[in-house]
Amino acid sequence: MHDEIIEHLRIEPLTSREIAEKFLRFKNPPQALAHAAVCGILQKDSRCFVNDLGLWEAQQTKETQTGQRLGVVPFVIVNLTSDPGNARRIVHISIWKISPEIECLLSAWLSDPSLLPLDEQDLARDGLDRVWNPDASDQTYSDSAEILVAYVPIFIGATQQAQFAWICAERGEIINDTGWLLSHFLRCCTISVPRPITLDECYKTVFGRFPRATSVARKGEQAAEIIAEGIRLLAFRAIETLQDFIAAQEKIPISIDFSAKAFSLEDIKNVPRLPGVYAFLDTASTYIYIGKSKNLRARVLGYFADSDESPVKLQRLREESHSFKTHVCGSDLESIITEFRLIQKHAPTLNKQATVNERRGQFTPIDDCIVVLPCTDSAKCLGLWYRKNQKIKIRYVQGDESDSEDVCKELEEFFLLDKLPAASTDFSLQELVTRYIKRHAQDLEIIPVHRMADAKEMYEATMISYKEASGE
């Protein structure tokens, strides 16, 4: 009923008596009684106010990409269950969609549930789970990463988020990096975040009681219930859109002392809200961590905001970082490639390093192609050149075609030579990019150069795509 009143007031302001009659089913209530009843419902809701005419109104919201209503943002909660004897070993994963209604998208065991003690097996098993298959863990992670392409993930804690991202990366999977933590929602709702941050404690904090005993799969459902309630509570504080939520996150207090660093809090707040790659360096200008984000300011600021959990890596980054760099990219794919190459080049101490032999991912290559990507410089065209099973190259091309001769020569050398010299990192980069292109094929401008006769035709197709995208 509360939300129904809000939506109506956005369209038509009403008096307290009209609200009492229309929504509370009062019949000819005295003005004082009606006003007291309505105030009891709306007065704590910061979206509502009484205008100069004595009518109740509700603030309007805007529907934009960043202003998308929280209730329709495609949030999913990723719930990971670890081995009690080895916290780094994930034994179960479930992913639950939040809206328009709570729904399980994936639930699977990564360890044989029949090996659990008999008294735990009844609670462990659930009809939502996939049939246990000892050879299916890679497929489970691949399916999980594919789900997160279309959704915005939320994790119970930062440790789980980092652990899941690492396991996926180890298999050549890149998960959606526009993720949030359960504590983000609780803090924005001004709810005290329990320590330690466990699902049961968070549930009790929000609902006033511990969740009922249930299967491992249904634990994800309980986490989804917390987020759904959090979204409802945020609306009372006029935090209704994704833009409002991001703005609220940026207001989380920061009490870290920056006096010994080469950057200030103001420097962080001046970082653009654009996709790209960021890097932290120590006092010797050695890279200690490199990452990517679709919102550089939010990600860099998040490392220094006061937190209810402090993983070891986060503490080290805060203490050891002396300066930072950012590089704005025109697309997520450019960010992935830039991050990969910088990590390979600088081997930062806080980035987990996976050699080619350690990676367990397998992939089926796509045919030779050029992917035309958005570019931060509108006067240039950015092309990702993909040579099947060999190399990947990022090439900026002048939009006025002044470098056409040089580009055609490079295209011929890249695509038409018998074989390109291989580097040790080529396989890993091919794996990352191939998986990304397959997952996002409908959203990318892909030129199938394996069907073209020569470099000139490849160049012309690239320029046509660039000019169509730029409206020329």
Side-chain angles (χ1 to χ4, degrees):
M1 178 183 67
H2 187 103
D3 289 338
E4 187 180 355
I5 296 174
I6 298 298
E7 292 305 319
H8 187 97
L9 294 179
R10 286 192 169 121
I11 300 171
E12 178 189 14
L14 298 175
T15 65
S16 292
R17 176 176 288 176
E18 289 171 332
I19 295 173
E21 291 177 338
K22 185 176 182 65
F23 296 99
L24 306 183
R25 306 303 181 192
F26 286 10
K27 292 184 179 180
N28 299 318
Q31 175 63 29
L33 175 62
H35 189 65
V38 173
C39 283
I41 298 173
L42 300 181
Q43 201 165 42
K44 293 182 179 180
D45 192 324
S46 57
R47 296 171 293 178
C48 301
F49 60 96
V50 178
N51 64 22
D52 294 340
L53 299 177
L55 301 176
W56 285 95
E57 288 190 47
Q59 294 176 356
Q60 301 294 324
T61 60
K62 296 179 180 179
E63 291 287 344
T64 64
Q65 186 174 3
T66 55
Q68 188 179 24
R69 296 283 292 277
L70 282 178
V72 298
V73 173
F75 287 124
V76 291
I77 186 80
V78 182
N79 187 51
L80 307 175
T81 303
S82 299
D83 183 343
N86 181 1
R88 294 186 177 183
R89 179 169 171 262
I90 298 174
V91 298
H92 186 276
I93 179 172
S94 65
I95 301 177
W96 289 77
K97 184 175 69 170
I98 310 299
S99 63
E101 58 185 24
I102 295 174
E103 176 187 351
C104 182
L105 301 181
L106 181 147
S107 184
W109 282 94
L110 300 166
S111 179
D112 188 353
S114 67
L115 298 179
L116 294 170
L118 291 176
D119 60 343
E120 295 182 16
Q121 288 190 25
D122 287 342
L123 283 178
R125 298 178 183 277
D126 194 290
L128 293 170
D129 290 324
R130 294 180 175 181
V131 175
W132 160 247
N133 181 344
D135 300 319
S137 61
D138 282 353
Q139 186 61 50
T140 296
Y141 281 112
S142 178
D143 293 344
S144 300
E146 186 166 1
I147 288 173
L148 299 192
V149 167
Y151 291 89
V152 179
I154 304 167
F155 291 85
I156 306 299
T159 302
Q160 282 197 4
Q161 183 181 28
Q163 184 181 18
F164 183 71
W166 163 243
I167 293 173
C168 286
E170 193 180 28
R171 289 161 169 77
E173 303 286 355
I174 299 295
I175 67 169
N176 189 336
D177 64 348
T178 313
W180 302 96
L181 301 178
L182 184 58
S183 59
H184 290 155
F185 284 83
L186 298 182
R187 288 176 69 90
C188 281
C189 293
T190 65
I191 294 175
S192 177
V193 180
R195 289 174 178 259
I197 299 177
T198 65
L199 179 56
D200 285 354
E201 290 294 338
C202 287
Y203 195 94
K204 181 185 178 184
T205 300
V206 172
F207 295 108
R209 57 182 173 81
F210 282 113
R212 63 189 183 281
T214 187
S215 67
V216 177
R218 294 285 177 181
K219 287 289 185 181
E221 182 178 30
Q222 293 170 352
E225 290 171 0
I226 296 173
I227 297 301
E229 178 66 7
I231 291 173
R232 190 185 75 82
L233 294 175
L234 287 171
F236 277 85
R237 302 189 60 236
I239 301 174
E240 295 188 278
T241 69
L242 189 56
Q243 188 176 37
D244 295 336
F245 185 69
I246 292 172
Q249 286 299 307
E250 292 184 356
K251 292 178 182 177
I252 292 177
I254 292 179
S255 56
I256 292 176
D257 182 8
F258 290 91
S259 60
K261 299 185 182 297
F263 61 93
S264 65
L265 177 58
E266 197 62 31
D267 292 328
I268 297 177
K269 290 183 176 180
N270 287 331
V271 172
R273 294 189 181 96
L274 295 172
V277 176
Y278 59 93
F280 289 100
L281 298 83
D282 62 17
T283 53
S285 297
T286 300
Y287 285 77
I288 60 174
Y289 188 75
I290 296 171
K292 70 177 183 67
S293 178
K294 293 180 181 178
N295 184 328
L296 286 169
R297 182 191 298 182
R299 179 57 59 87
V300 175
L301 196 60
Y303 284 110
F304 298 96
D306 292 353
S307 173
D308 296 282
E309 53 180 335
S310 299
V312 174
K313 188 175 81 171
L314 177 60
Q315 286 296 100
R316 285 190 58 191
L317 188 147
R318 289 175 172 178
E319 294 170 1
E320 298 175 21
S321 61
H322 181 69
S323 61
F324 76 91
K325 298 179 179 180
T326 60
H327 174 74
V328 174
C329 296
S331 65
D332 193 33
L333 185 50
E334 183 186 355
S335 297
I336 289 171
I337 295 170
T338 303
E339 178 197 36
F340 175 87
R341 287 178 168 164
L342 286 174
I343 290 175
Q344 291 294 322
K345 179 180 179 180
H346 297 289
T349 55
L350 297 182
N351 286 94
K352 291 185 177 180
Q353 305 296 317
T355 67
V356 174
N357 292 331
E358 288 173 340
R359 299 176 73 95
R360 296 194 292 273
Q362 295 184 0
F363 66 100
T364 303
I366 57 179
D367 290 320
D368 292 359
C369 65
I370 295 173
V371 182
V372 181
L373 299 171
C375 184
T376 54
D377 185 345
S378 60
K380 294 181 180 179
C381 169
L382 179 59
L384 182 151
W385 298 358
Y386 180 100
R387 180 80 183 268
K388 182 178 179 179
N389 284 331
Q390 295 188 50
K391 278 190 176 296
I392 288 169
K393 180 176 182 176
I394 288 282
R395 179 59 156 93
Y396 290 90
V397 180
Q398 294 296 331
D400 61 5
E401 304 186 27
S402 59
D403 58 352
S404 60
E405 186 175 336
D406 291 338
V407 175
C408 284
K409 182 180 179 181
E410 290 181 38
L411 282 167
E412 184 171 353
E413 292 173 350
F414 187 85
F415 285 109
L416 302 179
L417 288 180
D418 289 340
K419 193 172 183 180
L420 295 173
S424 61
T425 58
D426 286 344
F427 175 86
S428 298
L429 185 55
Q430 282 254 332
E431 182 181 8
L432 290 175
V433 172
T434 300
R435 291 178 185 275
Y436 186 93
I437 291 175
K438 285 181 176 180
R439 292 250 166 87
H440 299 81
Q442 293 183 337
D443 303 318
L444 297 172
E445 183 64 30
I446 303 174
I447 299 171
V449 300
H450 64 283
R451 301 177 184 173
M452 297 182 175
D454 54 31
K456 183 179 179 182
E457 189 176 353
M458 298 175 196
Y459 175 80
E460 290 174 348
T462 299
M463 297 314 297
I464 289 172
S465 294
Y466 162 71
K467 291 176 179 178
E468 287 179 350
S470 58
E472 293 186 17

